[in-house]
Amino acid sequence: MAFSADELRVLRRALAVALHPAPLADADVQDCLRLAGSVDEAAREASRLRTFLLADLARYRTALPGSARGYLELLQDALAAGYDPQPDDLMALRGLRAHPVAAALLERCRRLAEHSVRTRLAAATPGPRTRLLAFPGGRAAADDQKPAPKPTPKAEPQPKAPRPDRPIPTPGEVFPPRRKPTPPPAARAAG
């Protein structure tokens, strides 16, 4: 990302204020907000460009072997941008092994994929178990050299009162049936 001279001036002022807090003028605040908006827009554009690059790479990969040259160029660009090679990429490169650029890329992608797997496995493996600090006897209690508070005995629950021998009412008792509505008196015929 490249900044213009004006944007660098605003950035330098914002960093100076961050290091040595001082009140800012309204114009400086507006400049900082505009710069933040520009940086956000640049980040969104970079994300859209990355999405487009990865979709283009997938299209070239499905069109192999006819699109080998374009695929290899796009894969190099994607790797330079921090792309983590997928199993499909490794399979495609194995198929293009006769091409010297593809052979070099295959070796590079193998190393990157292995590093990625090792990183994920290391993150998934739990570390050594430590004692919980929130419970009595934990490391915090040992550091303070205070005896752990004795737990208070819980009160035994009171036995529930015996249920009356009265039976449970039926829905008909609780909700009596509705009576049929009678017709209004004007509707009756005099006979």
Side-chain angles (χ1 to χ4, degrees):
M1 182 180 304
F3 291 105
S4 69
D6 187 45
E7 289 171 334
L8 283 175
R9 180 184 51 79
V10 171
L11 185 61
R12 191 176 303 123
R13 236 181 317 158
L15 289 173
V17 169
L19 292 173
H20 305 287
L24 280 175
D26 289 340
D28 291 339
V29 171
Q30 292 302 320
D31 288 343
C32 289
L33 290 174
R34 273 193 299 277
L35 179 62
S38 297
V39 169
D40 288 344
E41 179 60 32
R44 284 191 296 271
E45 184 62 32
S47 175
R48 284 191 295 265
L49 182 61
R50 178 178 170 82
T51 302
F52 174 76
L53 177 67
L54 295 180
D56 210 18
L57 183 66
R59 280 192 296 274
Y60 273 81
R61 185 175 47 236
T62 57
L64 284 175
S67 62
R69 182 181 171 132
Y71 172 71
L72 295 174
E73 289 175 6
L74 282 174
L75 184 59
Q76 286 175 338
D77 292 343
L79 292 174
Y83 174 67
D84 195 18
Q86 304 299 312
D88 292 339
D89 295 315
L90 294 173
M91 279 189 345
L93 288 172
R94 281 188 199 106
L96 300 172
R97 226 181 305 195
H99 195 283
V101 175
L105 274 175
L106 176 61
E107 191 56 38
R108 181 178 175 194
C109 286
R110 278 184 186 159
R111 283 193 310 266
L112 288 172
E114 183 178 331
H115 178 68
S116 175
V117 168
R118 288 181 191 273
T119 303
R120 281 183 281 173
L121 285 176
T125 307
R129 296 190 67 158
T130 59
R131 297 176 76 181
L132 294 176
L133 302 178
F135 292 113
R139 192 178 303 158
D143 292 343
D144 294 342
Q145 299 297 327
K146 293 180 185 175
K150 295 181 181 178
T152 57
K154 293 184 180 178
E156 292 186 24
Q158 296 290 332
K160 293 184 178 180
R163 293 181 52 158
D165 293 333
R166 188 174 69 115
I168 297 175
T170 64
E173 294 172 345
V174 176
F175 304 105
R178 292 187 180 181
R179 301 189 189 275
K180 292 184 178 178
T182 59
R188 293 186 196 172

